[in-house]
Amino acid sequence: MEIHTDSQGIALALQWASKGLFITTPNPRVGCVIVKDGRIIGEGFTQPAGQAHAEIQALNDAANRGFDVRGATVYVTLEPCSHFGRTPPCADALVRAGVARVVAAVADPNPLVAGKGVARLRAAGIEVVCGVLENEAREMNIGFMSRMQRGKPWVRMKAAASLDGKTALHNGRSQWITGEAARNDGHWWRARACAVLTGIGTVREDDPQLNVRAVETPRQPRRIVVDSQLEIDPDARILAGGGTWIATASTDPEKGARLRERGAEIILVPNANGKVDLPALMLELGRRQINELHVEAGFKLNGSLIREGCVDELLLYLAPSVLGEARGLFDLPALESLDGRRQLAFHEIKQIGQDLRILARFI
């Protein structure tokens, strides 16, 4: 394969970036391809936090293959970093390597970079082009972009329902409304998230593990429970293995101590009504470097999150069935006028097995 256009180069770099989909958090997923005279001489993608970024991987790959990168073009899906974090600046490494040209898909919104990487490259006499396949690159790092620009994660709410919008029978039974292919696909979306959030109601009714099982992943997402009064059973499966965060409004020392013994961490974010302040929780998760938050909760918490403006995207799996009188998707107040409805835009519609997957974003 040869690369003759910038779009081809960035498209290939995006393929490399996707290899880091499950592992780079809290860093962005970045791919890099080095091309000389149309020939690919180095490729790489960002490794787990603290390890090499995509540009360093690609430079090392070229060196290991015996190629001279001087005068080459570097295609990278995000502006090269210009600061010392867990690793040295990639922009400096590219300058030292003597590359002639850098094509970046999108500028880095991180205030520590934000154009400084491009400026450093240009100051060294390297030609820089930015904005090739920018939308595709933003989608790859939609959570990182959200955290850097808004201070909070990109929140994706997943639900499975019948065609008449029912998520469970009147007695609470919901296994299984959708087919195996849709359920496995849901695990893929869990795996790419930094954290999975649910509510105490779901924990009490279903005792879920909320981990990734149906797809291979080297990293399990953080698990978070919204539990205003610390009612969770210390033996709940979602606490197994430790590391679960519990967002609460309760300062009960005895309950908190029991949960900490199970390895849980308590996040105190009360609102004026004694419930969890959901917008404040989103900002706290942003401070804790959560890029993408995957919500799998019941209709009450779903409704509260939507009502509080905390949801960016719905991930809905619709089964070709109807359930009649049963539980709905969201607990939202009745409207007197259609003017009060929340509008969404369809982002993607795809058939998964026998079911329909809809990605819709709040406008």
Side-chain angles (χ1 to χ4, degrees):
M1 178 181 180
E2 292 192 345
I3 300 296
H4 297 290
T5 68
D6 289 346
S7 293
Q8 287 178 327
I10 292 296
L12 183 57
L14 284 167
Q15 291 180 30
W16 276 93
S18 69
K19 296 177 185 292
L21 196 65
F22 297 166
I23 66 170
T24 64
T25 181
N27 291 337
R29 302 141 179 159
V30 182
C32 181
V33 175
I34 303 175
V35 176
K36 192 170 185 179
D37 299 324
R39 184 181 182 186
I40 299 166
I41 62 173
E43 298 166 300
F45 63 98
T46 294
Q47 300 300 297
Q51 298 182 37
H53 289 187
E55 297 93 326
I56 306 306
Q57 287 285 102
L59 288 170
N60 290 341
D61 182 48
N64 291 336
R65 292 159 64 178
F67 290 117
D68 182 358
V69 302
R70 287 176 295 181
T73 295
V74 175
Y75 294 100
V76 62
T77 59
L78 186 70
E79 175 187 359
C81 63
S82 56
H83 66 292
F84 281 88
R86 295 183 180 93
T87 59
C90 292
D92 289 354
L94 294 174
V95 171
R96 288 194 302 270
V99 302
R101 190 166 178 265
V102 173
V103 179
V106 63
D108 191 337
N110 186 342
L112 296 173
V113 184
K116 299 182 183 71
V118 167
R120 187 168 299 184
L121 294 170
R122 286 178 173 154
I126 297 173
E127 178 189 350
V128 181
V129 175
C130 198
V132 178
L133 298 184
E134 182 173 352
N135 290 338
E136 291 86 342
R138 286 186 177 279
E139 286 293 324
M140 177 67 66
N141 286 303
I142 195 166
F144 179 78
M145 296 288 176
S146 173
R147 180 165 67 86
M148 288 297 155
Q149 294 172 330
R150 307 186 303 173
K152 58 184 181 180
W154 178 265
V155 180
R156 181 180 296 114
M157 178 178 286
K158 179 258 182 182
S162 58
L163 281 182
D164 54 345
K166 306 301 181 182
T167 61
L169 300 179
H170 63 88
N171 59 12
R173 293 187 62 183
S174 62
Q175 297 182 344
W176 297 103
I177 290 176
T178 54
E180 184 177 5
R183 297 197 299 274
N184 291 348
D185 189 71
H187 276 249
W188 183 89
W189 287 94
R190 276 186 194 176
R192 68 170 282 167
C194 302
V196 179
L197 179 144
T198 193
I200 182 61
T202 298
V203 173
R204 277 199 302 248
E205 286 192 6
D206 300 336
D207 194 21
Q209 299 178 69
L210 276 193
N211 55 10
V212 179
R213 302 181 300 279
V215 298
E216 289 188 13
T217 176
R219 172 199 61 88
Q220 288 288 342
R222 176 81 60 179
R223 293 171 295 179
I224 305 171
V225 180
V226 175
D227 180 8
S228 294
Q229 302 307 313
L230 292 182
E231 298 170 308
I232 189 170
D233 185 335
D235 292 324
R237 295 200 297 172
I238 200 168
L239 299 176
T244 300
W245 293 346
I246 301 180
T248 188
S250 172
T251 57
D252 188 308
E254 186 176 335
K255 289 181 178 179
R258 284 201 302 267
L259 293 170
R260 291 186 183 97
E261 288 175 2
R262 292 281 283 139
E265 182 177 347
I266 308 300
I267 302 176
L268 187 63
V269 276
N271 65 15
N273 300 316
K275 301 288 187 180
V276 169
D277 187 326
L278 296 173
L281 175 60
M282 296 305 119
L283 291 172
E284 176 61 23
L285 295 182
R287 284 190 287 272
R288 290 171 178 245
Q289 297 189 309
I290 300 298
N291 292 336
E292 289 186 25
L293 181 65
H294 180 92
V295 176
E296 291 193 31
F299 73 108
K300 288 185 178 179
L301 180 54
N302 283 348
S304 296
L305 286 164
I306 292 174
R307 192 169 56 250
E308 295 286 341
C310 295
V311 183
D312 297 299
E313 180 175 64
L314 298 181
L315 171 64
L316 298 181
Y317 295 90
L318 296 182
S321 62
V322 291
L323 298 185
E325 191 65 31
R327 295 188 184 181
L329 284 162
F330 317 116
D331 182 18
L332 292 169
L335 298 176
E336 298 299 327
S337 167
L338 286 175
D339 293 337
R341 61 186 166 176
R342 292 291 308 276
Q343 294 279 12
L344 298 96
F346 289 123
H347 181 68
E348 181 186 76
I349 301 174
K350 184 177 181 180
Q351 186 165 343
I352 306 292
Q354 295 182 338
D355 305 305
L356 199 63
R357 185 185 74 195
I358 297 175
L359 277 172
R361 293 179 176 173
F362 284 97
I363 300 172

